[in-house]
CSV table of all heavy atoms in Angstrom, one decimal:
chain,number,residue,atom,x,y,z
A,31,LEU,N,5.1,-5.9,25.0
A,31,LEU,CA,5.0,-5.9,26.5
A,31,LEU,C,6.4,-5.9,27.0
A,31,LEU,O,7.3,-6.7,26.6
A,31,LEU,CB,4.3,-7.2,26.9
A,31,LEU,CG,2.9,-7.4,26.5
A,31,LEU,CD1,2.4,-8.8,26.9
A,31,LEU,CD2,2.0,-6.3,27.0
A,32,THR,N,6.7,-5.0,27.9
A,32,THR,CA,8.0,-4.9,28.5
A,32,THR,C,7.9,-4.9,30.0
A,32,THR,O,7.0,-4.3,30.6
A,32,THR,CB,8.6,-3.5,28.1
A,32,THR,OG1,8.6,-3.4,26.7
A,32,THR,CG2,10.0,-3.4,28.6
A,33,VAL,N,8.7,-5.7,30.6
A,33,VAL,CA,8.8,-5.8,32.1
A,33,VAL,C,10.2,-5.3,32.5
A,33,VAL,O,11.2,-5.7,32.0
A,33,VAL,CB,8.6,-7.2,32.6
A,33,VAL,CG1,8.8,-7.3,34.1
A,33,VAL,CG2,7.2,-7.7,32.2
A,34,ARG,N,10.2,-4.3,33.4
A,34,ARG,CA,11.4,-3.7,33.9
A,34,ARG,C,11.4,-3.8,35.4
A,34,ARG,O,10.5,-3.3,36.1
A,34,ARG,CB,11.5,-2.2,33.4
A,34,ARG,CG,12.9,-1.6,33.8
A,34,ARG,CD,13.0,-0.3,33.2
A,34,ARG,NE,13.1,-0.4,31.7
A,34,ARG,CZ,12.7,0.5,30.9
A,34,ARG,NH1,12.1,1.6,31.3
A,34,ARG,NH2,12.8,0.4,29.6
A,35,ARG,N,12.4,-4.5,36.0
A,35,ARG,CA,12.5,-4.7,37.4
A,35,ARG,C,11.2,-5.3,38.0
A,35,ARG,O,10.6,-4.8,39.0
A,35,ARG,CB,12.9,-3.4,38.1
A,35,ARG,CG,14.2,-2.9,37.8
A,35,ARG,CD,14.6,-1.7,38.6
A,35,ARG,NE,15.9,-1.2,38.1
A,35,ARG,CZ,16.5,-0.2,38.6
A,35,ARG,NH1,15.9,0.5,39.6
A,35,ARG,NH2,17.6,0.2,38.2
A,36,ASN,N,10.7,-6.3,37.3
A,36,ASN,CA,9.4,-7.0,37.7
A,36,ASN,C,8.2,-6.1,37.7
A,36,ASN,O,7.2,-6.4,38.3
A,36,ASN,CB,9.6,-7.7,39.0
A,36,ASN,CG,10.5,-8.9,39.0
A,36,ASN,OD1,10.6,-9.5,38.0
A,36,ASN,ND2,11.2,-9.1,40.1
A,37,VAL,N,8.2,-5.0,36.9
A,37,VAL,CA,7.1,-4.1,36.8
A,37,VAL,C,6.7,-4.0,35.3
A,37,VAL,O,7.5,-3.7,34.5
A,37,VAL,CB,7.4,-2.7,37.3
A,37,VAL,CG1,6.2,-1.8,37.1
A,37,VAL,CG2,7.8,-2.8,38.8
A,38,LEU,N,5.4,-4.4,35.0
A,38,LEU,CA,5.0,-4.3,33.7
A,38,LEU,C,4.9,-2.8,33.2
A,38,LEU,O,4.3,-2.0,33.9
A,38,LEU,CB,3.6,-4.9,33.5
A,38,LEU,CG,2.9,-4.8,32.2
A,38,LEU,CD1,3.7,-5.6,31.2
A,38,LEU,CD2,1.5,-5.3,32.3
A,39,GLN,N,5.6,-2.5,32.1
A,39,GLN,CA,5.6,-1.1,31.6
A,39,GLN,C,4.3,-1.0,30.7
A,39,GLN,O,3.7,-1.9,30.4
A,39,GLN,CB,6.8,-0.9,30.8
A,39,GLN,CG,8.1,-1.1,31.5
A,39,GLN,CD,8.2,-0.1,32.7
A,39,GLN,OE1,8.1,1.1,32.5
A,39,GLN,NE2,8.4,-0.7,33.9
A,40,PRO,N,4.0,0.3,30.4
A,40,PRO,CA,2.8,0.5,29.5
A,40,PRO,C,2.9,-0.3,28.2
A,40,PRO,O,3.9,-0.4,27.6
A,40,PRO,CB,2.8,2.0,29.2
A,40,PRO,CG,3.6,2.6,30.4
A,40,PRO,CD,4.6,1.5,30.8
A,41,VAL,N,1.8,-0.9,27.9
A,41,VAL,CA,1.7,-1.7,26.6
A,41,VAL,C,1.8,-0.7,25.5
A,41,VAL,O,1.2,0.3,25.4
A,41,VAL,CB,0.4,-2.5,26.6
A,41,VAL,CG1,0.3,-3.3,25.3
A,41,VAL,CG2,0.3,-3.5,27.8
Side-chain angles (χ1 to χ4, degrees):
L31 301 174
T32 306
V33 176
R34 187 173 291 148
R35 295 183 182 181
N36 291 327
V37 176
L38 179 64
Q39 301 300 304
V41 177

